Amino acid sequence: MGTIFRSEEMSLCQLFLQSEAAYACVSELGELGLMQFKDLNHGVNAFQRKFVNEVRRCEEMERKLRYIEKEIKKEKLKIPDYGENPKAPAPKEMVDLEATYEKIEGELREVNTNAEALKRNFLELTELREVLLKTQNFFSAHRHEMENMVHDAQQALHQDEVGLTPQQSVQLGFLAGCIRREKLPAFERMLWFACRGNVFLRYEEIQQPMEDPVTGDPVFKSVFIIFFQGEQLKSRVKKICEGFKAALYPCPDSPQEREEMLKGVSTRLEDLKMVLNQTQDHRHRVLVGAQKEIRTWIIKVEKIKAIYHTLNMFNFDVSHNSLIAEGWCPVRALEDVQMALKQGEKTSGSTIPTIIHPMRTRETPPTYFRTNKFTKGFQNIVDAYGIASYQEVNPAPYAIITFPFLFAVMFGDAGHGFIMFLFGLWMIISEKKLLAQKSDNEIWNTFFGGRYIITLMGLFSTYTGVIYNDAFSKSFNIFGSAWHPHYPESLLEVPDIELTLDPAKFFRNNTPYPLGIDPIWQLSDNKITFLNSFKMKTAVILGISQMLFGIILGIFNHIHFRNVLNILVEFIPEVIFLLSLFGYLVSLVYYKWVTFDVSKAGCAPALLIQYINMFMFSYKAKGDPNCNPQLPFYAGQQTIQTILLVAAVACVPVLLFIKPFVLRAQHNAKLRMRGRLAAHSTDALIPNEVLGETSAGNGVPRKPNADSKVDGEGDIELGPSTSQAEDSVPASVSQKDISVNSEGATASLAHDDKFEDDFEFGEIFIHQVIHTIEFCLGCISHTASYLRLWALSLAHAQLSEVLWQMVFSLGLGMDIPWFGSVIIFVLWMFWANLTIAVLLVMEGLSAFLHTLRLHWVEFQSKFYVGDGYSFNPFSFKFVLDIESLEDIK
């Protein structure tokens, strides 16, 4: 719980890795996933880094695996996921992996090329067979028509052409082929216009689809026969066929030749079928063998690539043949990191230990919370607003309770809440099975990721539904009723009469109802008036309580960061301001509930009028002195309210002025102290031993000197020279003021001077003015904003009641034997579907968004800054989550 209440303490560490052990050590750190490395080569081009060739080799292996994966999916084979997590292969194993992938890829490409050529040949022979068959059928069926057509052509030719002899005959030629079915109408029109109607076209569809040799998609084609006269038309027809990509096939003129050619084509087709089947079987065997290993191969390649990409972020020390890395690590995980480094040394066989050196820095560390599958959803809600600042109080553990509870206040219905609870419980129980499916549906993944949130929201909604005594717009009558209304029977017989509950007349019990709201209110016409008063006051109480809790959480930040000034001039005035105005309002609500019973309820003072009079300093009640809403609640009310109002107003200048001027005074005092130190001491600078020397002039921190020690865990123990240097630091400079930047250089007083010179009184004053205005006006607007708890609760209850009365209750009121059950079932289906779609989904999302706003704006704004950045360690977890190389962008 401690790590989720406040982010973990982080440490900036420097690693000295020997070149031969660097790969194995980074691999172990990737498996551990608790080290976030910094890019020490951010100014270096990606193509000039040390391990760019290895990264390119990994990308080439990715390309080959992507091709193999695509072929496996084309074969409609499913890639199994056995949950394997292989270690990253050693660098020397990359050659074997490359050879394996190269062999499989080459074999698949060769098989695919041969199969494509065979399929193209098979397609051509199939089309030729269809052309021969349909041409033979056409000539057999239309032989007499062809003779008549030739005779008519001869007669026309003898009449038009003068130079021909009577013995000259007309010779008709024809071309046969195949064309795509969708191109046939345009093809026919083009032949007609281009040949001026002097060609004769006949076509017939091929019933079975052809297979495209490249894509494998089905293609529908038609066989056509074109009759023409003369070489000029023949040339023109061929060009048109070529333009429409129609395949022309040789077709003999005589039936005997066509028959013999058809037999030869059929024989060749049978042989091709056998060869194609054998090729397909061989391809299937290769893919099945790759199918079992493809996921393991993908994980190995991605791990290798991630390791080399990380190594490219390190500095290379040529003189010591080592790599120098910097990164953030949780302090609690330092031992685990050291154990991982030792395991990497053992794996690589290195004899030189890896050194891990904690560094001091002024850089803001990343924010890291240890979460589990239950708390992760609530942490994601908080992080969506903004990542918590380092070591800032985390709102997530409190949102575990407050978030579903405020949702339930708006969604209070025991029936709807129980359905939501069952849905969330089903997702939790079926968690492993649903995770194994790895759905890519974004909406479903969002609901599944929030399964624990949905379960709690449903459970809390069931509770508030019991308190409201509301389930599908109906009430439970478990304990009877504490009301005893007595209306005359003559009044009850009047149609559409409004029956209201008057507590002065009908309430006979002086004790509260055992659980929730009395069920008799469901039948009363003044139900909304009563529930409005109850839910509105409850919303104000809950809202002010949560805002006060947010302000109280702020003191934990002030104490942790040792900011006494914020406690005195921010926390205390804010609490006084909130309690004096709005805490007093809550006390009046409870006072009215406790003091005024049924007999006095009609003459009780009005809260709103009393609260307005508090700001107007108006305490003179006009009218009936015994029953007047402007009468004070208690004796001495004017004095107490005046003191509270003056105290609240007095807090505003405290919030506005004190902090900026105190900070300016502290800044001036530091400047005077620095001037005195500079005047009385010339040794105020930090000695060179603390600054640290650099090696080879490249800005890399030097290796430990002879007086330094390396302990068994790989940490540096500084020798006597460093201790003496620390003793020489002036007393006015604390150890915190010594920091090491990313290049290994250190700074002390000069660093303080820089920060003090950046002090801007105007900027700080404007920031404080904005903070004061936001808080004071926010207390008012945020209190009003919590009234959405009442408004959405009322809307949900009324919508549920309207849906019941307008749909389902219509069937219950019908007195139709036998057939009435069918009507009731149909109406129940409509009611159930509308309940799920409108009340559960739409109303649930609406209440969820309003709850989100109440936490982000009204609650978290009281103490939460949220300007940090998340801890993103180097981890192989992402590699295990990917299903395919297509997921990698």
Side-chain angles (χ1 to χ4, degrees):
M1 185 65 182
T3 58
I4 196 173
F5 174 77
R6 198 182 299 280
S7 63
E8 288 204 17
E9 185 179 354
M10 306 297 291
S11 174
L12 181 62
C13 298
Q14 193 174 46
L15 304 179
F16 296 89
L17 306 168
Q18 292 302 313
S19 296
E20 63 273 12
Y23 181 92
C25 290
V26 173
S27 174
E28 293 296 331
L29 291 177
E31 299 290 346
L32 183 64
L34 287 174
M35 194 77 181
Q36 177 179 331
F37 292 103
K38 296 172 62 178
D39 189 1
L40 303 182
N41 301 314
H42 58 275
V44 181
N45 191 291
F47 300 101
Q48 296 176 344
R49 302 199 179 194
K50 180 175 177 56
F51 299 99
V52 63
N53 292 328
E54 285 77 4
V55 174
R56 286 177 176 175
R57 290 170 62 188
C58 293
E59 291 176 350
E60 180 64 18
M61 287 191 288
E62 280 184 351
R63 183 193 62 77
K64 295 173 182 177
L65 287 176
R66 194 176 288 110
Y67 174 77
I68 297 171
E69 182 185 17
K70 183 181 70 173
E71 294 297 318
I72 290 175
K73 292 181 177 179
K74 187 186 293 185
E75 195 71 13
K76 296 182 180 179
L77 296 175
K78 187 177 180 181
I79 298 177
D81 183 6
Y82 302 111
E84 62 272 26
N85 182 19
K87 288 276 189 178
K92 59 184 178 181
E93 296 181 25
M94 283 183 64
V95 179
D96 298 335
L97 292 176
E98 287 176 319
T100 302
Y101 305 156
E102 180 71 28
K103 178 183 177 182
I104 296 177
E105 184 199 22
E107 193 170 356
L108 283 176
R109 289 191 181 277
E110 183 179 359
V111 170
N112 289 342
T113 303
N114 295 334
E116 184 179 338
L118 290 173
K119 287 180 179 179
R120 186 176 288 108
N121 195 4
F122 183 81
L123 177 64
E124 293 174 355
L125 290 175
T126 304
E127 291 180 352
L128 178 56
R129 184 184 64 180
E130 294 293 331
V131 168
L132 293 173
L133 282 173
K134 296 189 182 303
T135 304
Q136 186 80 336
N137 295 336
F138 177 78
F139 280 113
S140 299
H142 304 281
R143 182 168 55 88
H144 297 291
E145 295 180 9
M146 294 298 298
E147 292 176 355
N148 294 334
M149 185 175 64
V150 172
H151 179 71
D152 294 341
Q154 287 177 349
Q155 294 294 331
L157 186 61
H158 289 163
Q159 293 175 4
D160 295 339
E161 299 292 338
V162 180
L164 293 177
T165 61
Q167 291 81 15
Q168 195 171 8
S169 62
V170 176
Q171 295 294 332
L172 289 180
F174 69 92
L175 291 175
C178 287
I179 189 173
R180 286 179 176 266
R181 192 177 297 176
E182 62 270 13
K183 294 183 179 181
L184 193 57
F187 179 66
E188 185 176 6
R189 289 194 299 269
M190 179 59 71
L191 282 174
W192 175 263
F193 288 113
C195 300
R196 299 180 181 179
N198 292 323
V199 295
F200 180 70
L201 174 66
R202 285 292 180 268
Y203 57 86
E204 186 175 348
E205 295 179 353
I206 302 175
Q207 298 301 324
Q208 69 274 14
M210 306 290 183
E211 181 182 352
D212 190 288
V214 179
T215 62
D217 298 331
V219 179
F220 294 91
K221 292 191 174 184
S222 297
V223 174
F224 63 86
I225 305 174
I226 304 173
F227 295 92
F228 54 86
Q229 180 186 4
E231 291 298 327
Q232 185 177 2
L233 284 179
K234 180 179 181 181
S235 175
R236 192 174 298 176
V237 168
K238 283 186 176 180
K239 289 181 179 179
I240 295 173
C241 293
E242 186 178 331
F244 279 87
K245 295 183 179 180
L248 296 176
Y249 293 98
C251 187
D253 295 335
S254 64
Q256 293 79 11
E257 293 177 355
R258 286 195 294 268
E259 190 69 30
E260 291 177 2
M261 190 174 183
L262 181 61
K263 290 180 181 178
V265 170
S266 300
T267 304
R268 291 176 61 188
L269 279 174
E270 293 298 327
D271 296 338
L272 269 178
K273 281 183 181 179
M274 186 181 302
V275 176
L276 274 173
N277 289 335
Q278 292 175 355
T279 304
Q280 186 65 25
D281 291 341
H282 176 66
R283 180 176 182 273
H284 185 76
R285 286 194 298 271
V286 174
L287 292 177
V288 168
Q291 174 195 11
K292 302 175 183 177
E293 302 289 337
I294 184 69
R295 179 165 173 80
T296 303
W297 290 342
I298 291 174
I299 293 175
K300 287 182 178 180
V301 171
E302 289 304 312
K303 285 188 175 182
I304 297 172
K305 183 180 177 182
I307 291 172
Y308 281 118
H309 178 74
T310 304
L311 289 174
N312 274 334
M313 301 167 66
F314 300 170
N315 275 338
F316 183 64
D317 189 354
V318 181
S319 60
H320 297 89
N321 192 26
S322 63
L323 293 171
I324 300 173
E326 291 182 9
W328 294 102
C329 173
V331 174
R332 292 176 54 185
L334 281 175
E335 292 185 3
D336 296 332
V337 171
Q338 291 173 350
M339 293 300 296
L341 293 174
K342 284 185 177 180
Q343 183 62 35
E345 297 168 10
K346 182 179 178 182
T347 303
S348 63
S350 176
T351 57
I352 302 177
T354 299
I355 300 173
I356 178 170
H357 177 208
M359 304 171 62
R360 294 188 182 276
T361 179
R362 287 186 180 272
E363 185 179 350
T364 303
T367 301
Y368 174 56
F369 297 103
R370 291 182 186 265
T371 58
N372 51 37
K373 58 185 179 181
F374 175 72
T375 59
K376 185 178 180 181
F378 296 96
Q379 188 64 55
N380 288 338
I381 289 176
V382 175
D383 292 345
Y385 174 78
I387 305 297
S389 303
Y390 179 64
Q391 294 278 289
E392 184 182 21
V393 171
N394 183 23
Y398 312 105
I400 295 175
I401 299 300
T402 60
F403 192 91
F405 179 73
L406 291 185
F407 172 88
V409 172
M410 293 182 278
F411 197 76
D413 189 291
H416 301 154
F418 190 67
I419 294 175
M420 184 178 292
F421 169 74
L422 291 179
F423 175 64
L425 189 63
W426 169 77
M427 287 193 290
I428 294 174
I429 294 175
S430 309
E431 186 175 297
K432 293 183 178 180
K433 182 176 69 176
L434 296 174
L435 279 174
Q437 294 177 0
K438 293 188 175 181
S439 173
D440 56 353
N441 189 309
E442 217 173 302
I443 297 177
W444 164 253
N445 290 335
T446 302
F447 279 104
F448 182 73
R451 56 193 178 277
Y452 291 97
I453 301 176
I454 293 175
T455 304
L456 285 181
M457 289 192 306
L459 186 63
F460 278 61
S461 297
T462 305
Y463 165 75
T464 54
V466 172
I467 297 299
Y468 294 159
N469 204 349
D470 191 0
F472 301 114
S473 76
K474 295 298 168 186
S475 297
F476 301 104
N477 190 4
I478 300 175
F479 303 100
S481 176
W483 294 74
H484 304 281
H486 298 287
Y487 289 102
E489 298 206 2
S490 58
L491 185 62
L492 295 175
E493 294 176 357
V494 178
D496 300 329
I497 186 67
E498 293 186 0
L499 300 179
T500 60
L501 294 178
D502 186 356
K505 295 180 180 179
F506 305 125
F507 192 74
R508 297 290 183 267
N509 196 343
N510 292 326
T511 60
Y513 196 72
L515 181 63
I517 295 176
D518 197 306
I520 199 173
W521 283 105
Q522 186 70 25
L523 305 175
S524 175
D525 288 314
N526 60 337
K527 175 184 69 172
I528 295 180
T529 304
F530 164 72
L531 291 179
N532 276 352
S533 176
F534 167 71
K535 292 182 179 180
M536 187 185 300
K537 294 181 177 66
T538 304
V540 171
I541 293 172
L542 292 176
I544 295 175
S545 300
Q546 190 179 31
M547 288 193 296
L548 178 62
F549 180 60
I551 296 175
I552 293 174
L553 286 178
I555 196 174
F556 293 99
N557 285 331
H558 304 325
I559 294 174
H560 179 77
F561 296 115
R562 299 177 182 178
N563 199 331
V564 180
L565 181 62
N566 282 355
I567 297 177
L568 297 177
V569 302
E570 283 191 0
F571 171 74
I572 295 177
E574 287 174 357
V575 171
I576 294 175
F577 183 87
L578 184 68
L579 291 180
S580 298
L581 298 182
F582 302 99
Y584 178 69
L585 176 62
V586 173
S587 65
L588 288 182
V589 173
Y590 279 108
Y591 183 83
K592 184 176 181 180
W593 281 347
V594 173
T595 305
F596 295 92
D597 57 7
V598 175
S599 59
K600 303 177 183 178
C603 294
L607 281 172
L608 183 59
I609 295 177
Q610 292 291 323
Y611 201 59
I612 294 175
N613 289 340
M614 175 181 175
F615 292 92
M616 301 295 294
F617 294 97
S618 175
Y619 296 95
K620 294 181 180 180
K622 299 179 181 180
D624 188 358
N626 298 320
C627 185
N628 193 331
Q630 296 189 8
L631 288 174
F633 280 97
Y634 54 89
Q637 179 176 338
Q638 179 178 357
T639 304
I640 293 177
Q641 291 184 167
T642 304
I643 294 174
L644 292 177
L645 188 59
V646 171
V649 173
C651 289
V652 177
V654 175
L655 283 169
L656 186 59
F657 295 110
I658 294 182
K659 182 177 179 180
F661 287 99
V662 170
L663 290 178
R664 189 177 69 170
Q666 292 177 352
H667 169 69
N668 293 335
K670 288 182 180 179
L671 290 180
R672 290 192 296 270
M673 177 65 70
R674 188 178 63 185
R676 287 196 296 269
L677 287 174
H680 291 85
S681 176
T682 58
D683 299 328
L685 296 178
I686 299 177
N688 292 331
E689 287 82 358
V690 178
L691 291 177
E693 298 175 359
T694 59
S695 61
N698 58 0
V700 179
R702 62 180 176 84
K703 301 287 286 186
N705 56 24
D707 295 328
S708 302
K709 297 180 181 179
V710 180
D711 62 6
E713 301 297 327
D715 290 328
I716 294 179
E717 296 180 359
L718 299 177
S721 60
T722 305
S723 300
Q724 294 172 3
E726 290 176 353
D727 293 338
S728 64
V729 178
S732 61
V733 182
S734 65
Q735 188 65 23
K736 290 184 179 180
D737 294 328
I738 303 173
S739 62
V740 183
N741 58 20
S742 59
E743 288 78 21
T746 59
S748 178
L749 289 177
H751 199 93
D752 288 339
D753 296 346
K754 177 184 176 183
F755 276 86
E756 291 180 6
D757 292 339
D758 291 341
F759 181 84
E760 290 289 344
F761 176 76
E763 183 178 349
I764 293 176
F765 187 79
I766 291 174
H767 179 271
Q768 193 64 23
V769 169
I770 294 174
H771 172 75
T772 304
I773 293 175
E774 282 186 349
F775 176 78
C776 296
L777 295 183
C779 287
I780 302 172
S781 62
H782 293 174
T783 302
S785 181
Y786 275 98
L787 292 177
R788 69 185 71 233
L789 297 173
W790 151 64
L792 265 74
S793 174
L794 177 65
H796 184 86
Q798 291 302 304
L799 189 59
S800 177
E801 185 174 352
V802 167
L803 196 62
W804 177 277
Q805 293 179 355
M806 299 297 291
V807 180
F808 194 36
S809 63
L810 296 178
L812 298 177
M814 294 181 181
D815 188 12
I816 304 175
W818 302 106
F819 188 68
S821 59
V822 178
I823 297 176
I824 291 176
F825 178 76
V826 173
L827 291 175
W828 177 84
M829 288 293 295
F830 275 103
W831 175 80
N833 289 329
L834 289 174
T835 297
I836 294 174
V838 177
L839 293 178
L840 284 177
V841 178
M842 295 176 61
E843 278 284 315
L845 288 175
S846 174
F848 180 88
L849 292 176
H850 283 282
T851 309
L852 206 61
R853 183 243 154 78
L854 289 177
H855 279 77
W856 282 356
V857 180
E858 278 71 23
F859 174 56
Q860 292 178 192
S861 64
K862 300 297 183 294
F863 68 98
Y864 187 68
V865 178
D867 61 353
Y869 63 100
S870 60
F871 176 62
N872 295 315
F874 168 64
S875 175
F876 291 143
K877 184 178 181 300
F878 170 74
V879 176
L880 299 178
D881 291 338
I882 63 172
E883 297 182 36
S884 164
L885 284 170
E886 297 175 356
D887 297 339
I888 302 172
K889 303 299 182 185

